[in-house]
Amino acid sequence: MSTAVEVTDSTFEQDVLESALPVLVDFWAPWCGPCRMVAPVVEEIAQQYDGQIKVVKLNTDENPQVASKYGIRSIPTLMIFKGGQRVDMVVGAVPKSTLANTLEKYL
């Protein structure tokens, strides 16, 4: 079973930008209520699309470099990267169906 992996400022390029698979990045922080609401959805997505996409989490408090590079102003923000490029994003705690529909476009 695949689960969301933590990435950091130092591993982001290797884990996300250089990934052969599309990557869903969950930008979150421990103090953020909606982030906790969306976390189980992100885990379900990781399991449902195991082998098709890579799912990672980035704590914006601990990794401000990447967060500021991508202009993260509100969390949770879920970004989809493909071939090293940001191709889509969803802001806020969204239902699983919304996230799945957005991801399907990039598989």
Side-chain angles (χ1 to χ4, degrees):
M1 282 286 212
S2 192
T3 57
V5 182
E6 287 284 343
V7 293
T8 63
D9 279 346
S10 55
T11 63
F12 188 83
E13 188 168 335
Q14 185 183 350
D15 287 343
V16 178
L17 303 182
E18 294 172 5
S19 171
L21 292 172
V23 185
L24 174 68
V25 182
D26 175 12
F27 290 91
W28 72 288
W31 49 264
C32 160
C35 297
R36 287 197 294 275
M37 283 164 46
V38 85
V41 173
V42 170
E43 291 295 341
E44 283 172 34
I45 292 279
Q47 290 166 12
Q48 185 177 334
Y49 294 97
D50 190 16
Q52 294 174 278
I53 62 161
K54 186 172 177 180
V55 178
V56 301
K57 295 171 76 77
L58 182 111
N59 181 330
T60 56
D61 284 356
E62 294 172 2
N63 303 284
Q65 245 176 311
V66 170
S68 99
K69 178 178 178 184
Y70 291 101
I72 304 296
R73 283 183 197 87
S74 63
I75 51 175
T77 293
L78 300 157
M79 274 188 194
I80 301 163
F81 287 82
K82 189 171 185 177
Q85 298 297 312
R86 175 176 63 187
V87 291
D88 214 331
M89 67 188 275
V90 179
V91 178
V94 294
K96 184 179 173 187
S97 56
T98 305
L99 195 50
N101 290 341
T102 305
L103 278 169
E104 293 283 347
K105 296 186 275 189
Y106 305 101
L107 298 178

